[in-house]
Amino acid sequence: MIELQRRYTFKKTTLLKKVTNLDDYKNHAGIYILCLSAVRGYYVGQTAISLTKRIQQHWRKPETDFDRKYREADVTEIYVMPLDISTVYEQFGLDALEGDYIASIPDKFLLNCMAGGNTIIGVKSKEYNPADFRLPTEPLNDLKDRILCFQKEHDLA
């Protein structure tokens, strides 16, 4: 988690927020990370609508292998990166950010099955190379700048 927080710090502001009240993010799109300390793992997800609703959906409407295997009680911490999807190049930017997050987590701690975004590549397959999903510095900094501006505007920074 420390490495992800470093990667997603911009102008001395951490864009990845530790959740104390999930309802604070009901009106925000973004990236989220579910931390499961018992298995020392992380699950990365995204939503273009409501972080609160999407995270709760994991347990209210289990649809994925992750949802069926882990319960709400297994999650010890939640981190979110609220953003305005229109300022991060719509779904394309959201997919790129999710892929970058997934690629930034060492395989042994990753609970995701897919590489993220609109890809169908599994993270355990031979075709998956995390380096292919890591964002280069310049585009990543552009996205981080846009996210920081949004978070400051909405008192989330």
Side-chain angles (χ1 to χ4, degrees), residues 60-109:
R60 296 193 177 138
K61 292 172 88 179
E63 296 173 358
T64 67
D65 290 341
F66 173 84
D67 297 345
R68 288 185 283 278
K69 187 172 183 179
Y70 300 105
R71 301 285 175 240
E72 186 173 5
D74 297 323
V75 176
T76 53
E77 292 179 328
I78 300 171
Y79 289 83
V80 297
M81 187 173 65
L83 52 83
D84 175 20
I85 191 163
S86 65
T87 64
V88 296
Y89 309 113
E90 304 296 338
Q91 190 64 43
F92 174 79
L94 190 58
D95 288 347
L97 284 164
E98 182 186 29
D100 185 80
Y101 266 91
I102 291 169
S104 298
I105 296 173
D107 184 49
K108 65 182 178 179
F109 300 118

Side-chain angles (χ1 to χ4, degrees), residues 34-42 73-77 111:
L34 305 177
C35 307
L36 290 77
S37 59
V39 294
R40 296 186 66 211
Y42 303 97
D74 297 323
V75 176
T76 53
E77 292 179 328
L111 300 175

Side-chain angles (χ1 to χ4, degrees), residues 9 56 64 86 96 127 142:
T9 294
Q56 290 172 339
T64 67
S86 65
E127 294 89 37
D142 177 57

Side-chain angles (χ1 to χ4, degrees), residues 46-59:
Q46 60 151 293
T47 181
I49 303 169
S50 168
L51 285 161
T52 302
K53 286 181 183 176
R54 178 62 190 109
I55 292 167
Q56 290 172 339
Q57 190 177 41
H58 280 285
W59 301 288

Side-chain angles (χ1 to χ4, degrees), residues 9-46:
T9 294
F10 190 70
K11 297 182 179 176
K12 299 182 181 180
T13 302
T14 302
L15 303 175
L16 192 58
K17 313 298 180 192
K18 185 175 180 179
V19 173
T20 56
N21 182 358
L22 192 54
D23 286 336
D24 292 344
Y25 303 98
K26 65 184 173 192
N27 297 319
H28 302 293
I31 303 292
Y32 61 92
I33 302 173
L34 305 177
C35 307
L36 290 77
S37 59
V39 294
R40 296 186 66 211
Y42 303 97
Y43 179 85
V44 178
Q46 60 151 293

